Amino acid sequence: MSEDRFNHWFAKMPIVAILRGLHPDEALDVGEALVEAGIHILEVPLNSPDPLVSIGRLAAALKDRAIVGAGTVLDPTGVDDVANVGGEIIVSPNTDAAVIRRTRERGLVSLPGSFTPTECFASLAAGAHAIKLFPGELVTPKSAKGIAAVLPKGTRMLVVGGVSTDTMKDWADSPVHGFGIGSSLYKPGLAAGEVGARARALVEAVRAMAGTAP
């Protein structure tokens, strides 16, 4: 099941690679570079060029080594489109109960964007698997702690936006469980080798923050 696969890869490395602007012709090279570096959760936002083609190719090629899905999913039709090409994760910038419910109906993993306690509770009530705190540039470890204090125990929170190797350490003592990382990891035009190098640095930063670095 998608949820089990997500939990497996999230436990290994809690980074979601946000590949905004990814082109289908580079998708497999970039995907291979990320997996080799230790990142196994990949998101292609739907405002990328031919995103469903990229998602389909990545899902087929990496099915035993990663879990792939879409970001910027704004309506239930988008959920169906992603599911139909093999995507397993639905990420949104907003809290939309209809999107979350359709994600659950299709057996996929729901990571909606929420910023306030009200939005977080609405996401969980609709069936979200984890909360995407967004925009991350406006979230601090202190505010994340305040939100976590009122949410049900066990609620997973990911900060999405504004996280880099330089700022990762700031989250060491926070209740945040993972990170969605975009421009610090991938930008259109970057060679797969450079994406892999950035991914390795981020993986090392997460391990250092968690106290599991070799």
Side-chain angles (χ1 to χ4, degrees):
M1 296 205 27
S2 296
E3 183 175 358
D4 292 337
R5 284 167 45 73
F6 176 80
N7 290 341
H8 171 76
W9 294 121
F10 191 83
K12 284 186 174 293
M13 179 49 56
I15 293 177
V16 178
I18 303 171
L19 306 176
R20 190 177 305 279
L22 184 73
H23 192 278
D25 290 345
E26 62 178 334
L28 295 186
D29 287 342
V30 170
E32 290 287 353
L34 290 167
V35 168
E36 184 178 347
I39 295 177
H40 302 270
I41 306 174
L42 282 57
E43 168 200 331
V44 180
L46 291 185
N47 55 2
S48 302
D50 296 317
L52 297 174
V53 176
S54 293
I55 293 168
R57 290 180 181 178
L58 288 167
L62 304 176
K63 61 181 179 180
D64 296 324
R65 295 177 291 146
I67 185 168
V68 181
T72 319
V73 182
L74 303 179
D75 53 51
T77 299
V79 176
D80 292 333
D81 291 340
V82 173
N84 291 340
V85 297
E88 298 182 81
I89 305 170
I90 299 297
V91 187
S92 300
N94 60 330
T95 300
D96 188 312
V99 171
I100 298 169
R101 287 194 295 266
R102 181 64 62 84
T103 301
R104 279 285 192 171
E105 290 168 1
R106 294 301 301 261
L108 309 186
V109 174
S110 172
L111 305 176
S114 302
F115 186 70
T116 66
T118 298
E119 292 176 345
C120 290
F121 277 108
S123 290
L124 294 173
H129 291 89
I131 298 297
K132 164 188 169 180
L133 293 176
F134 178 81
E137 291 86 352
L138 301 180
V139 180
T140 66
K142 188 173 182 179
S143 65
K145 184 176 181 179
I147 292 172
V150 298
L151 296 180
K153 288 186 177 181
T155 300
R156 285 181 295 188
M157 300 192 302
L158 294 82
V159 170
V160 178
V163 180
S164 66
T165 53
D166 294 331
T167 63
M168 192 74 69
K169 62 182 181 298
D170 298 340
W171 298 95
D173 297 319
S174 78
V176 167
H177 301 85
F179 306 92
I181 301 180
S183 59
S184 295
L185 178 59
Y186 171 84
K187 293 179 182 178
L190 279 183
E194 175 61 21
V195 175
R198 293 183 176 203
R200 285 189 291 275
L202 285 162
V203 166
E204 291 172 5
V206 169
R207 288 174 176 164
M209 179 198 70
T212 60

